[in-house]
Amino acid sequence: MPQQPVNSNEPLVKIRGLRFYRGERVIFDGIDIDIPRGSITAIMGPSGTGKTTLLKLIGGQLRPDAGTIHVDGQDVHKLNNKDLYKLRMRMGMLFQSGALLTDINVFENVAYPLREHTRLPESIIRKLVLIKLEAVGLRGARDLMPSELSGGMARRAALARAIVLDPKMIMYDEPFTGQDPISMGVLVQLIPRLNKASRLTSIVVSHDVQETTNIADMIYVISNGKVIAGGPSKQIANSTSFWVRQFMDGLPDGPVPFHFPAKPLEADILEKAAAHKTGATP
Amino acid sequence: MEQLARLGRTGIASLQRLGRGHLLLLHMLSGLTDLTRRPRLLIAQLYSVGVLSMLIITISGLFVGMVLGLQGFYILSQFGAEEALGVMVAASLVRELGPVVTALLFAGRAGSALTAEIGLMKATEQLSGLEMMAVDPIKRILTPRFMAGLLSMPLLAAIFSAIGVIGGHLVGVGLLGVDEGAYWSQMQAKIDLHEDIYNGVIKSIVFGFVCTWIALFQGHDCVPTSEGVSRATTRTVVHSALAILCLDFVLTALMFGE
Amino acid sequence: MVQMRTMEIMVGGFMAAGFVALFFLAMQVSNLSNLAGGDGYQITARFDNIGGLKVRSPVTMAGVRVGRVTEISFDNTTYEAIVTLQVDRSYNTIPDDTFAKIYTAGLLGEQYIGLDPGGSEEYLADGGTISLTQSALVLEEIIGQFLFSKAEEGGSDGE
C-alpha cells in the first residue's frame, strides 16, 4: 500500500473541488472541506442538500464526478477494493436508522466487526463488547434484539458497534433527528465524551442547529451544492450572512425561499382555468 | 417522436438493469471462496430457503400427484390402458410438473421472502452499514442465499416428484383399483434414468439458479422505501414465473426434441 | 431465532429427505434397478422385422419378465435385425429350441419379446443363439394383406 508520509497537522479528511450529480440534479458543485484531526466537525444544511451523500462519498460508497477526497493521506477513490476495506476499518459510521442487523441481538451486533475482522478469542471479544456497551450505557440491554430497542437505544447500540474496532474517525448521520429530549441529551453528551476519550475525529451531519453548535468545534454550512460558510463554531453562530442567519435562526423565508421555484400564482391559476376550458370542449 | 423516445428510454433502462444483474451475479460468485470458510452462513440460509419451503412443497406434491392419478385414470381408461397410469403420473411429474411447479412455488414462498429481506436490509441501511464496517454485503449476505437457493431447488423438486408419485399411487391403486404391480413395473419400464430423471434435475438446478438470482437482484436493486420493496417483491414473483415457463420450453425443446 | 443446533438438525433432515427422494426416483420410479449390473447372460436372435422393438424392451416367458433387450443391430449381408437379449442368471434352463416372438402389449402398448420354450434337453448358454424367431406384426402389412385378399375376392366375384 503506497502509504504517503502523513503530517499530523494535516487535516484527516481533505475534500477538494468535489462535484457530484445525481442524474440531472447537482448535489455538490465544487466544495472544499477540511476536517482537522481530533475535532468534532459539523456539516449543516437544509434537508435535501446531500449531507448523507457527502458521508457516503467520504466512505467510498459513492464515486464523485469530479474532485478528490483524501482520508488520512489516501485518495479514497483511487484505492483498490482491498485497501478501501482496510481504510473503512478505521472509519466508523453511525447511520440515521442505526442499521443494526435485525436477526442478531445487541451483543452480537457489537461483536460483529470483531468477529469479521479479527481472530480474537471469545473471552476477549466479550470483554471488548461489554466495555463498548458500557460506554454507551447499554450493557444491560445486550441480550435484546434490535426490534426491542427504542430509536435512541438503537442508535447508541450502533454507536458501540461503530467504535468497537477503535476507528480513527466516526461519521454521524443525523444523530439527533427524531429523538426525544432525553435521548438527544444523552447523545449530545456522548459524542464529545467519546471523541475525547478515544481521541477520535468526528464528523456530524445534522440540521439540528442548537445541539450541533453546542458540541461542534468546526461548522460547515452547505446549501445548493456549495459551502456557504465554514469556520469555528463560535464564528458561524455569530455570522451575519443572510444565508447562515436564515438557517441558524430557522427563518421561514430568506435566501432559501419558502416557495419552491414556480411561476407567479396568478399566471398559474389563469392558465389552469384556460387549459381546463379548452380541455372540456374538444 | 415522444413514443419513440420513451421506447428508447425503456430499452436503455432494461439493458442497464440486465447489466447490473450480471455484475451482481459475478460479484456473488466471487464470494464462493469466502463461503467455503463459513459453512454456517449457508446452513442458516438452507434452513430459511429449503426447510421452510418443505411444507408447501410436500403438500402440493401430494395433491398434484393425486389429481394426476384421477385425471390420468379417466383418460387412460377410455383406451383401456389404466396400467399405464404409473408411467403417466411419473413422467409428467419427473419431466415437467416436479421442476416447474416446485420452481413456481419456490418463487412465491422463498423468492419473495428473499427479495423482501434484502430490500428491507437495503432500506434500513443494513447493507450500507456492513459496507462501512468493511464487510462486503454481497459476498456476506447474498452469496450464501444464492447458493442455498441453488442447492435447495433440485432437492425440493425431487421431494415434490417423489411425493407426487406416491400421491398418484394412493389414488390410482388405493382408490381406483389399478393393479399395484402394473403401476410400478410400467413406470420402471418407461421412465429412463438419464432421459427423464437427470433432465428433470438439470431443469430444477437451472430454475433454482434463475429464481434465486432474480429474487436477490430485485431485492438488491430495489428503491429503498417500503413501496419500493413491495414492488420489488411483486416483480420477483412475476419475473420468476415468466422466466421459469419460458426456460422450461427452451430446456424441454433442447432435451427431448430430436 | 431458531437455535443453531435445531437449525442444523432440520437442514440435515431436509438434505436427507431430498436425497432419499432422488434415490427413490432413481430406484423405484426409473429403470435404474433394471439396468443395474450385467447380472445375466447374453443370447442373440435374428428377426426379419422387429417392428417397434427398442433397447430395454422387456423379454418375457409365460408373461414373466426374465430379461431385456440390450442391443439391436443390423446385418448388412442377410438384411436381418440382430437382437441381443440379456436374460437373468436365475433363468438358466431355457431350451435351445425356444421360439422368440415379438408381441405387442395391448393394442397401443409397447412391443416385447416373448419366449416360448421348446422341448430340447440342451439349454441356452451365454452367447447362444435362438434360431426360431417370428417377426413383429406390422399393422400396415396386415391391413395391406387383408385389403389385397378382399380385392382379389371382389375381382373374382365380378367375373
Side-chain angles (χ1 to χ4, degrees):
Chain A
M1 192 162 68
Q3 194 59 280
Q4 290 165 10
V6 177
N7 180 354
S8 60
N9 291 327
E10 175 110 331
L12 184 68
V13 180
K14 211 167 79 182
I15 301 175
R16 287 291 173 269
L18 182 74
R19 283 169 204 278
F20 184 77
Y21 310 104
R22 191 157 270 164
E24 304 277 293
R25 247 181 75 209
V26 179
I27 307 283
F28 297 122
D29 188 16
I31 59 171
D32 302 324
I33 290 178
D34 284 333
I35 293 173
R37 287 166 195 272
S39 70
I40 298 178
T41 305
I43 293 168
M44 308 185 72
S47 345
T49 43
K51 302 185 296 291
T52 306
T53 310
L54 184 64
L55 294 188
K56 289 198 168 177
L57 283 163
I58 295 175
Q61 290 186 298
L62 295 173
R63 290 197 153 269
D65 290 287
T68 55
I69 298 178
H70 283 86
V71 175
D72 207 8
Q74 291 173 292
D75 186 338
V76 176
H77 299 97
K78 290 233 170 71
L79 294 176
N80 61 25
N81 240 353
K82 211 173 133 205
D83 292 338
L84 180 61
Y85 274 48
K86 261 188 202 155
L87 180 67
R88 279 184 189 157
M89 277 185 227
R90 289 182 279 146
M91 295 180 183
M93 177 146 170
L94 182 68
F95 286 87
Q96 208 168 356
S97 58
L100 293 171
L101 296 170
T102 43
D103 55 346
I104 50 180
N105 66 21
V106 171
F107 181 92
E108 286 303 321
N109 257 296
V110 178
Y112 193 91
L114 290 173
R115 294 200 203 283
E116 281 294 324
H117 298 305
T118 67
R119 293 188 176 279
L120 296 174
E122 191 56 38
S123 60
I124 295 184
I125 288 183
R126 192 181 131 81
K127 271 177 206 144
L128 280 172
V129 171
L130 290 183
I131 290 168
K132 300 297 177 188
L133 279 173
E134 175 72 21
V136 298
L138 288 181
R139 196 163 42 83
R142 59 174 179 257
D143 293 325
L144 296 181
M145 296 301 283
S147 56
E148 297 168 303
L149 299 177
S150 70
M153 281 160 81
R155 229 166 269 190
R156 275 148 68 195
L159 184 53
R161 184 179 67 176
I163 56 172
V164 77
L165 284 175
D166 288 322
K168 281 204 160 153
M169 61 178 266
I170 182 158
M171 298 186 274
Y172 298 88
D173 185 8
E174 302 281 7
F176 309 118
T177 311
Q179 298 288 325
D180 63 69
I182 301 171
S183 314
M184 192 118 89
V186 169
L187 282 165
V188 167
Q189 192 196 28
L190 206 52
I191 293 172
R193 208 171 70 199
L194 280 175
N195 205 64
K196 213 164 277 159
S198 324
R199 287 197 205 91
L200 282 163
T201 304
S202 301
I203 305 175
V204 181
V205 147
S206 179
H207 52 231
D208 291 285
V209 177
Q210 196 60 49
E211 290 72 24
T212 316
T213 38
N214 276 344
I215 59 168
D217 304 317
M218 293 273 289
I219 292 180
Y220 286 92
V221 182
I222 299 181
S223 184
N224 286 329
K226 290 200 186 300
V227 176
I228 54 169
S233 56
K234 286 269 160 51
Q235 188 188 326
I236 300 292
N238 300 324
S239 164
T240 50
S241 148
F242 286 132
W243 280 97
V244 179
R245 282 269 60 89
Q246 187 196 0
F247 184 73
M248 297 306 245
D249 302 339
L251 303 174
D253 212 349
V256 177
F258 168 70
H259 289 291
F260 196 81
K263 49 186 132 180
L265 178 66
E266 291 85 355
D268 223 4
I269 288 174
L270 289 175
E271 188 193 20
K272 273 270 168 63
H276 192 73
K277 215 176 255 172
T278 51
T281 52
Chain B
M1 230 35 194
E2 180 51 35
Q3 305 277 328
L4 204 61
R6 195 176 302 154
L7 186 68
R9 259 204 306 280
T10 322
I12 292 170
S14 339
L15 277 178
Q16 282 177 333
R17 236 192 334 271
L18 204 64
R20 286 201 300 276
H22 281 85
L23 286 178
L24 180 74
L25 180 67
L26 283 180
H27 200 153
M28 285 196 291
L29 294 178
S30 72
L32 282 181
T33 43
D34 293 359
L35 187 61
T36 50
R37 268 181 274 133
R38 295 172 186 275
R40 282 188 165 235
L41 290 177
L42 184 61
I43 289 177
Q45 291 316 314
L46 276 173
Y47 176 79
S48 63
V49 170
V51 176
L52 296 183
S53 305
M54 237 168 90
L55 188 67
I56 186 173
I57 293 294
T58 342
I59 293 176
S60 326
L62 185 67
F63 278 99
V64 168
M66 294 195 332
V67 168
L68 279 176
L70 274 179
Q71 293 281 17
F73 182 82
Y74 288 124
I75 292 170
L76 290 173
S77 63
Q78 291 178 19
F79 301 100
E82 295 92 336
E83 277 71 29
L85 184 67
V87 189
M88 204 201 106
V89 170
S92 11
L93 278 169
V94 170
R95 285 183 169 197
E96 290 297 333
L97 291 175
V100 171
V101 177
T102 305
L104 290 174
L105 292 171
F106 182 90
R109 167 68 187 74
S112 60
L114 281 177
T115 305
E117 189 188 11
I118 302 293
L120 277 175
M121 286 184 92
K122 185 178 180 185
T124 55
E125 296 175 311
Q126 291 183 53
L127 296 184
S128 229
L130 282 174
E131 224 170 55
M132 286 310 295
M133 281 192 278
V135 175
D136 187 335
I138 294 179
K139 291 183 181 177
R140 190 65 164 71
I141 303 288
L142 269 68
T143 304
R145 284 165 175 74
F146 182 68
M147 278 318 288
L150 198 61
L151 288 176
S152 298
M153 186 77 91
L155 295 179
L156 288 171
I159 293 173
F160 185 95
S161 298
I163 298 272
V165 168
I166 293 169
H169 181 270
L170 283 180
V171 170
V173 177
L175 229 60
L176 301 171
V178 173
D179 179 57
E180 164 134 35
Y183 185 85
W184 293 117
S185 68
Q186 289 248 3
M187 194 190 293
Q188 287 171 6
K190 284 289 172 59
I191 303 292
D192 184 49
L193 180 72
H194 176 76
E195 189 150 309
D196 296 309
I197 310 241
Y198 285 175
N199 281 348
V201 171
I202 289 172
K203 267 189 186 178
S204 60
I205 292 175
V206 172
F207 293 160
F209 181 92
V210 171
C211 274
T212 324
W213 182 18
I214 289 178
L216 291 174
F217 174 67
Q218 290 295 355
H220 190 255
D221 205 51
C222 76
V223 182
T225 59
S226 2
E227 199 203 356
V229 174
S230 80
R231 278 183 184 206
T233 312
T234 314
R235 268 206 304 276
T236 292
V237 177
V238 174
H239 289 194
S240 303
L242 286 177
I244 290 162
L245 295 173
C246 295
L247 271 174
D248 184 47
F249 173 74
V250 174
L251 287 174
T252 308
L254 285 177
M255 287 168 172
F256 300 111
E258 296 294 318
Chain C
M1 200 178 113
V2 189
Q3 288 292 309
M4 197 65 202
R5 177 110 186 108
T6 333
M7 197 185 277
E8 278 171 351
I9 291 170
M10 293 184 71
V11 170
F14 164 62
M15 304 281 279
F19 286 117
V20 166
L22 273 176
F23 184 75
F24 170 81
L25 290 179
M27 296 309 292
Q28 184 69 20
V29 174
S30 88
N31 50 5
L32 181 68
S33 51
N34 304 336
L35 286 177
D39 211 36
Y41 59 99
Q42 315 270 334
I43 309 171
T44 52
R46 290 168 170 264
F47 292 91
D48 291 334
N49 189 336
I50 57 165
L53 197 73
K54 290 190 187 72
V55 171
R56 278 196 303 275
S57 292
V59 176
T60 63
M61 273 179 96
V64 178
R65 188 189 177 107
V66 296
R68 63 196 169 83
V69 174
T70 51
E71 198 192 336
I72 296 172
S73 57
F74 180 67
D75 187 331
N76 267 325
T77 51
T78 61
Y79 307 115
E80 283 175 329
I82 306 167
V83 177
T84 311
L85 318 175
Q86 179 165 303
V87 180
D88 287 1
R89 255 301 154 239
S90 48
Y91 310 108
N92 55 359
T93 54
I94 301 174
D96 63 357
D97 58 349
T98 291
F99 209 141
K101 295 178 185 171
I102 297 178
Y103 292 109
T104 307
L107 189 59
L108 301 165
E110 56 171 344
Q111 291 194 301
Y112 64 97
I113 293 183
L115 299 180
D116 290 340
S120 169
E121 299 280 304
E122 303 284 305
Y123 300 133
L124 284 167
D126 193 26
T129 310
I130 297 177
S131 41
L132 302 168
T133 61
Q134 183 187 311
S135 291
L137 293 174
V138 179
L139 206 56
E140 291 89 327
E141 264 176 31
I142 301 168
I143 294 171
Q145 277 170 3
F146 174 72
L147 290 178
F148 190 63
S149 60
K150 273 284 178 201
E152 276 199 333
E153 276 173 33
S156 55
D157 283 355
E159 250 177 88

